[in-house]
Amino acid sequence: MGKTRGRRRRLRPAALLSAAACAVLTLAGCAQVDTTSPSTARAEAAHGAPAGFGTVDCRKAKCIALTFDAGPSENSARLLDILKEKKVPATFFLLGKRHIEKYPELVKRMAAEGHEVASHTWDHKILTRISDAQIREELKRPDDAIERLTGRKPILMRPPQGRTDANVHEISKELGLAEVLWSVTAKDYATTDSALITKRVLDQASRDGIILLHDLYAGTVPAVPGIIDALKERGYVFVTVPQLLAPGKPEPGKVYRP
């Protein structure tokens, strides 16, 4: 438990920067990043192509993607129970060290229950500050671990703090990974108030949105049922990130953000 609390303390400054600054892509490392929106990805796909996942066509439906960073954690089993009960697919950007290593059965369960399992690097290193060899290790190690557990290599990754650059794009392309940023943040790393987390998500939600949450923080999972119910009442359909892009497909080396 002490290790987990220590890990949370180390992650909080990173999350703070990503939400406050990189969400609008103004800090060095995420400035002037060329991003592709879900609607553009769909429009660029072959006309009339079938949706790539499930039966939802986000060209017509009011879609939104629920994503969770930095798990699995001791809260992930309860989160998966909620998603199963609500029939909502999510995209999980998982950390390797102390997370995938510690909760392999939860990784298997995520994949088995139809969620998209993706990478948030091995040890949350800032990719724009490390060598090419270190970038490759940060990206390859969780991918290999996820593939061993699920039988499927991830096609998506989320860079820590949202910090990325041309070099990260090139290495991601080499490794077969597309990068995914976000449009909605609840700043759940800074509060345990589930009602506030819910309000922040609902205030920012829009069609084609990508919601960033962290299931390792205490206030987040209790907020999820209310978030889901309220957005469903507004007519939203929950999809994974690949579903959001369908009939387009995530292209390695590209950065996706609404």
Side-chain angles (χ1 to χ4, degrees), residues 140-154:
K140 193 170 186 307
R141 285 186 72 185
D143 284 2
D144 289 347
I146 290 168
E147 187 173 17
R148 281 194 301 271
L149 291 168
T150 69
R152 182 172 179 266
K153 183 180 177 182

Side-chain angles (χ1 to χ4, degrees), residues 89-117:
T91 302
F92 288 92
F93 293 94
L94 304 182
L95 281 173
K97 193 174 183 181
R98 293 182 290 275
H99 294 269
I100 294 172
E101 283 183 326
K102 188 173 181 180
Y103 302 101
E105 294 305 315
L106 287 174
V107 179
K108 292 178 184 178
R109 183 181 167 189
M110 288 168 181
E113 294 184 358
H115 304 292
E116 186 73 19
V117 182

Side-chain angles (χ1 to χ4, degrees), residues 11 14-16 18-19 23 64-73 75-76 79-80 82-83 88-95 99 110 116 118-120 124 158-159 161 180-205 209-229 231 238-239 241:
L11 282 176
L16 193 63
S18 65
I64 198 163
L66 198 53
T67 74
F68 296 90
D69 280 13
S73 74
N75 302 320
S76 298
L79 173 59
L80 288 168
I82 292 167
L83 296 174
V88 165
T91 302
F92 288 92
F93 293 94
L94 304 182
L95 281 173
H99 294 269
M110 288 168 181
E116 186 73 19
S119 167
H120 194 42
H124 211 262
R158 177 168 281 157
Q161 296 186 8
V180 179
L181 302 180
W182 59 91
S183 59
V184 178
T185 175
K187 300 182 181 179
D188 53 351
Y189 48 81
T191 181
T192 58
D193 186 339
S194 298
L196 179 59
I197 291 168
T198 301
K199 182 180 186 304
R200 286 172 174 171
V201 171
L202 299 182
D203 285 349
Q204 298 172 62
I210 297 177
I211 300 167
L212 167 63
L213 293 168
H214 303 78
D215 64 287
L216 76 166
Y217 298 121
T220 301
V221 173
V224 170
I227 289 169
I228 291 172
D229 291 346
L231 289 176
F238 287 92
V239 295
V241 171

